[in-house]
Amino acid sequence: MPRTSSPRPVSRPDAGPSLVGERFEATVERVAHGGFCVARHEGRAVFVRHALPGERVVAQVTEGHTGDRYLRADAVEILDASPDRVEAPCEYAAPGRCGGCDWQHATPDAQRRLKAAVVEEQLFRLAGIERKVEVEEAPGTPDGLGWRTRVQFAVDDAGRIGLRKSRSHEIVPIETCAIAAPGVEEVGAERRSWPGVAGVEVIAASGSSDRAVVVTPLPKPDGRMPIVEMDVPVAVLRGDGQGGAARVHGRAQVREVAAGRTWKVSGSGFWQVHPAAADVLNEAVLEAVEARPGETAMDLYCGVGLFAAGLAEAVGEDGEVVAVESDKGAVEDALVNLESYDQVVIVEDRVDKALKDAPEGFEAEVVVLDPPRSGAGKKVVAGIAELRPRVVAYVACDPAALARDLAYFAEQGYELDTLRAFDLFPMTHHVECVARLVRSAR
């Protein structure tokens, strides 16, 4: 089956005939998690993209059957527009086209209000926490464009580069990406053909001139790497489709600048994609924990060591920082980035296992965790509680996962003290949060 194909609407015996393609008028009620708004049609919830609360729209079903409890749809015509609606600055941000951006049709202020409402709703629904949330604007991107320093493109069967539709493997070829940083666009990946390639990631480091292109070839009997010529000098890495990469030519890593220093980040290794994100989150985390000289701190899911370095500065030579990371490439980078701190111990292991295997009686006054989008989970939260920290700083990129974990922390005697939210992914539904947890008074 071609990689650009999408499933044809079929009947499911358990749910009846497909409704994909059907249209109806609906009034949009509220925002929902994931870049959707909620409407209702014939007593059934409909999750609608490209709409805003309060609008009257024509919705076209994109997923759902007659027997389903809810449907998904696109707003293909706006009958009564919200005052927050604007014309999307990108031609690909439209029904049936690129799924990378969710809110280009809303003003930046409105986008932040929508994200705040989602965080509030998830906290209350999943953790029973009532909290007013304000999403703070990210420095340097007031219009929400030109910020993404790492872009993962897909490639269709014709060798055209593009991005995927929402909730689909289908690829929409593009000539430019409105939220890509200028350094990404300068590489010119969209302006060339990519035969024999499954995916292309373009990296434009923040604070340095380093550029890299990670190319993941299609499986071939000879395993040859396509010839790559770009518009500007770049390192070219061969990706394995699993987040790993090997050097083909040029530097195997890029230099990112944040928190007053330079960081080594290899290939497709994790680094925040907004140029201001590392500074914003590092400052928020250190402010939340207020680590003291001589304390023991843990940095869980430490990546290349951003938070561990700040913690090491705060606890000083008489303190200790235990940084835990399971990704081998990130650990190798962290060893370089943190080599000047004798008080930092780097543990290459899964976080749940590292906590389980901690020496008997080991405690940490400060714990910082920045788990993947799925969250930390009940076992990790329980392991953190056994360390008896006085404060926990939780960095979360998914409000639902954060809320679930906050409920687990509550079971362990820790409550949400403060919460900050940052708009580090403008035009999308994503929002970054930093939660401070302390022991419950009761």
Side-chain angles (χ1 to χ4, degrees):
M1 180 181 292
R3 287 178 289 133
T4 55
S5 67
S6 58
R8 296 178 62 186
V10 295
S11 294
R12 290 202 328 255
D14 63 328
S18 171
L19 295 175
V20 172
E22 294 207 11
R23 295 188 176 195
F24 50 82
E25 292 186 13
T27 298
V28 181
E29 298 173 0
R30 59 180 176 81
V31 67
H33 186 34
F36 294 88
C37 288
V38 180
R40 302 197 72 82
H41 177 64
E42 297 181 347
R44 180 164 38 192
V46 184
F47 293 91
V48 187
R49 279 175 57 85
H50 306 287
L52 292 173
E55 292 187 327
R56 182 78 177 165
V57 304
V58 174
Q60 179 172 307
V61 178
T62 56
E63 296 178 48
H65 297 73
T66 55
D68 288 338
R69 292 184 299 107
Y70 64 88
L71 306 173
R72 297 187 188 275
D74 283 342
V76 294
E77 184 179 351
I78 310 303
L79 303 177
D80 294 309
S82 164
D84 292 324
R85 177 171 287 275
V86 295
E87 183 176 351
C90 174
E91 63 178 297
Y92 305 108
R97 308 207 75 185
C98 173
C101 290
D102 307 289
W103 300 120
Q104 285 206 17
H105 56 285
T107 67
D109 284 345
Q111 292 179 37
R112 290 189 286 274
R113 293 198 302 272
L114 293 170
K115 296 180 186 187
V118 169
V119 176
E120 292 172 1
E121 191 267 342
Q122 296 298 310
L123 289 176
F124 182 73
R125 185 173 68 86
L126 299 175
I129 298 173
E130 291 191 61
R131 183 65 58 98
K132 185 66 177 176
V133 175
E134 178 185 355
V135 176
E136 301 176 36
E137 179 183 335
T141 52
D143 61 359
L145 302 175
W147 54 268
R148 193 174 184 99
T149 60
R150 293 168 178 249
V151 180
Q152 292 182 332
F153 297 101
V155 181
D156 69 11
D157 288 336
R160 298 174 300 179
I161 207 167
L163 297 166
R164 299 189 189 278
K165 292 183 179 181
S166 175
R167 298 175 57 84
S168 171
H169 294 294
E170 188 171 353
I171 298 168
V172 179
I174 67 169
E175 296 180 359
T176 184
C177 175
I179 65 171
V184 169
E185 291 298 292
E186 289 168 4
V187 169
E190 303 103 308
R191 295 187 288 275
R192 59 154 292 163
S193 180
W194 295 91
V197 171
V200 178
E201 180 179 8
V202 182
I203 302 166
S206 300
S208 80
S209 60
D210 291 350
R211 305 287 183 267
V213 175
V214 181
V215 181
T216 302
L218 288 169
K220 283 184 175 182
D222 58 14
R224 291 181 182 176
M225 179 76 178
I227 297 174
V228 178
E229 296 180 359
M230 306 309 302
D231 292 354
V232 296
V234 295
V236 179
L237 314 176
R238 181 191 179 100
D240 59 10
Q242 305 297 320
R247 178 170 55 193
V248 176
H249 65 72
R251 294 172 60 90
Q253 69 277 331
V254 297
R255 295 162 298 173
E256 301 279 359
V257 178
R261 56 180 298 173
T262 301
W263 304 84
K264 171 194 170 186
V265 183
S266 295
S268 288
F270 176 77
W271 187 258
Q272 292 286 343
V273 297
H274 192 290
D279 280 327
V280 166
L281 295 175
N282 186 62
E283 180 181 339
V285 164
L286 296 180
E287 180 181 303
V289 299
E290 296 179 311
R292 304 160 187 167
E295 286 191 321
T296 296
M298 290 198 77
D299 181 10
L300 307 179
Y301 313 94
C302 74
V304 302
L306 174 67
F307 301 136
L311 292 170
E313 295 279 357
V315 303
E317 295 180 359
D318 294 331
E320 182 180 33
V321 177
V322 180
V324 182
E325 174 58 55
S326 62
D327 182 80
K328 184 176 181 61
V331 170
E332 291 175 353
D333 287 345
L335 287 168
V336 174
N337 294 329
L338 302 172
E339 62 182 349
S340 62
Y341 297 107
D342 293 336
Q343 65 270 49
V344 176
V345 177
I346 300 175
V347 178
E348 183 180 345
D349 207 345
R350 295 197 324 267
V351 167
D352 60 340
K353 188 172 182 300
L355 290 171
K356 182 180 178 181
D357 295 343
E360 186 175 353
F362 176 79
E363 294 185 353
E365 289 87 356
V366 172
V367 172
V368 174
L369 68 156
D370 185 4
R373 186 169 301 280
S374 56
K378 195 167 189 175
K379 288 183 179 179
V380 168
V381 170
I384 292 172
E386 289 182 6
L387 302 174
R388 296 184 54 79
R390 64 171 178 82
V391 63
V392 176
Y394 186 137
V395 182
C397 58
D398 183 84
L402 171 63
R404 285 192 293 268
D405 285 343
L406 290 180
Y408 297 144
F409 271 109
E411 294 173 0
Q412 297 293 333
Y414 283 82
E415 64 184 6
L416 178 63
D417 181 27
T418 62
L419 177 71
R420 296 181 68 184
F422 303 96
D423 192 14
L424 299 177
F425 304 88
M427 302 295 181
T428 79
H429 73 270
H430 300 291
V431 58
E432 201 86 14
C433 295
V434 176
R436 169 186 160 93
L437 293 92
V438 297
R439 292 178 189 152
S440 303
R442 56 183 184 276

